[in-house]
Amino acid sequence: TIKVWDLETNVCLRTLRGHSRYIQCMQSVNNLLISGSGDKTLRVWTVSTGDCERVLLGHTSYVLCVCVRGVLAASGGGDNTVRVWNIESGICLKTLVGHTSGVRCLEFHGDTQFISGSSDGTLRLWDLNSGYCVRTMMGHTWAVQCFCVLQNLIVSGSSDNSLRIWDLASGDCLRVLNGHTMYVRSVQFYANYLASASGDGTVRIWDLLSGQLIRTLSGHTTTVWCIQFEADALISGSYDNTIRIWNWRTGECIRILNGHSMYVQCLVIRNSNTIISGSYDSTIKCWEFQTP
């Protein structure tokens, strides 16, 4: 199920039912929500009513990721494909084939391109109009877990424990950032700084221009799964069931938020003073905080 909450009252407004297995990913646009599931489908919902408007069928394995731009959605699956959908009609416009393992992360780039990262260790840049792969970025020796895009740069994090900085125009790898001792699960930009979260229980802050490690935030006792910048604060969620608020400029852990009984899987910052966290304990929690 998907639950819609009023963040002011903490009341559950409605429950969206329809998927027959776990929900892996979601994206919202205006009053629509697009969800991807282990049942191999995506569903398009109207948030205000809870109605399922259409079911997007086509993937032959679980859906791992989805991104939305206007009326278009792109989804990546365990079937190694990317599918491009019109979410108004529910029609699959294109099926993009090239990856040799599951597609784990996706992001639109401009109006006519998008980027995919895969368990095959590559990133691919696709032309949305033709459906062709414009270039393939090869270098990681294991799965691409995550990436983020800043103008013409991509930073990718991998199960090979490294980050790579790529020039999107040429596809060249500009720099390899080594330091983590386990897989890199999340990457985030803030101005000219980069944060990476890892299975080694740390968050590392890097200078994006030089590639130099600025500091390591240590405190979590196991995998850090998700991170979010908010001005001078960095919020991290971990498999140790806690959320930590850091002053990333000094490395100080300002606060530890306890409350989840299983690992923290995702984080969203709302209005610069509210953390919304989702956990494998099947709860969503809202926390108030102040930036340093």
Side-chain angles (χ1 to χ4, degrees):
T1 65
I2 298 169
K3 292 181 181 289
V4 182
W5 302 82
D6 185 311
L7 296 180
E8 304 299 329
T9 63
N10 293 335
V11 172
C12 180
L13 302 177
R14 59 192 58 87
T15 300
L16 313 184
R17 304 181 188 275
H19 286 298
S20 60
R21 294 195 67 196
Y22 59 87
I23 295 158
Q24 180 74 22
C25 51
M26 294 187 298
Q27 283 278 298
S28 62
V29 54
N30 299 324
N31 193 35
L32 294 179
L33 177 75
I34 297 88
S35 58
S37 169
D39 65 10
K40 308 176 188 177
T41 72
L42 296 103
R43 285 178 177 255
V44 181
W45 312 82
T46 298
V47 175
S48 58
T49 63
D51 293 336
C52 179
E53 303 298 337
R54 56 196 59 89
V55 181
L56 310 183
L57 301 169
H59 281 292
T60 58
S61 184
Y62 44 83
V63 179
L64 284 167
C65 52
V66 63
C67 61
V68 181
R69 173 68 58 86
V71 300
L72 297 180
S75 58
D79 57 8
N80 310 346
T81 69
V82 177
R83 288 179 177 261
V84 181
W85 312 83
N86 183 307
I87 58 176
E88 291 184 341
S89 66
I91 294 172
C92 180
L93 304 176
K94 291 182 176 67
T95 301
L96 311 184
V97 177
H99 284 298
T100 58
S101 192
V103 180
R104 305 181 67 93
C105 38
L106 287 170
E107 187 172 328
F108 281 99
H109 180 65
D111 295 327
T112 61
Q113 295 179 321
F114 65 94
I115 304 154
S116 59
S118 169
S119 292
D120 64 15
T122 70
L123 297 106
R124 286 177 178 257
L125 176 67
W126 304 85
D127 181 86
L128 195 55
N129 295 322
S130 67
Y132 292 145
C133 178
V134 178
R135 62 184 52 89
T136 302
M137 287 156 272
M138 303 175 66
H140 284 298
T141 57
W142 210 351
V144 175
Q145 292 270 0
C146 53
F147 68 82
C148 55
V149 183
L150 179 64
Q151 296 174 356
N152 210 39
L153 293 179
I154 304 176
V155 179
S156 56
S158 170
S159 295
D160 65 11
N161 307 348
S162 74
L163 298 100
R164 286 178 176 258
I165 302 175
W166 309 84
D167 184 307
L168 188 56
S170 66
D172 293 337
C173 180
L174 305 178
R175 192 169 286 121
V176 181
L177 309 183
N178 291 302
H180 284 296
T181 58
M182 290 184 68
Y183 57 88
V184 179
R185 186 59 192 88
S186 181
V187 289
Q188 288 280 314
F189 285 120
Y190 181 75
N192 289 325
Y193 297 96
L194 175 72
S196 57
S198 169
D200 63 16
T202 70
V203 178
R204 290 176 179 254
I205 308 296
W206 311 82
D207 184 297
L208 182 61
L209 300 180
S210 68
Q212 294 299 306
L213 176 66
I214 296 173
R215 63 185 48 87
T216 301
L217 311 182
S218 300
H220 286 296
T221 58
T222 187
T223 299
V224 182
W225 196 259
C226 47
I227 48 176
Q228 287 288 326
F229 275 113
E230 184 58 44
D232 288 345
L234 184 137
I235 295 87
S236 57
S238 170
Y239 272 26
D240 65 11
N241 307 347
T242 70
I243 298 162
R244 286 179 177 249
I245 304 174
W246 310 81
N247 183 325
W248 61 267
R249 294 186 185 274
T250 66
E252 177 189 4
C253 180
I254 301 166
R255 189 166 299 134
I256 302 173
L257 305 181
N258 292 288
H260 285 297
S261 60
M262 292 185 70
Y263 45 84
V264 179
Q265 181 81 0
C266 51
L267 292 169
V268 175
I269 310 300
R270 179 178 180 267
N271 296 336
S272 298
N273 64 356
T274 303
I275 300 168
I276 305 170
S277 58
S279 166
Y280 262 55
D281 63 12
S282 301
T283 68
I284 298 170
K285 294 182 182 292
C286 300
W287 317 76
E288 290 187 352
F289 80 105
Q290 292 183 339
T291 58

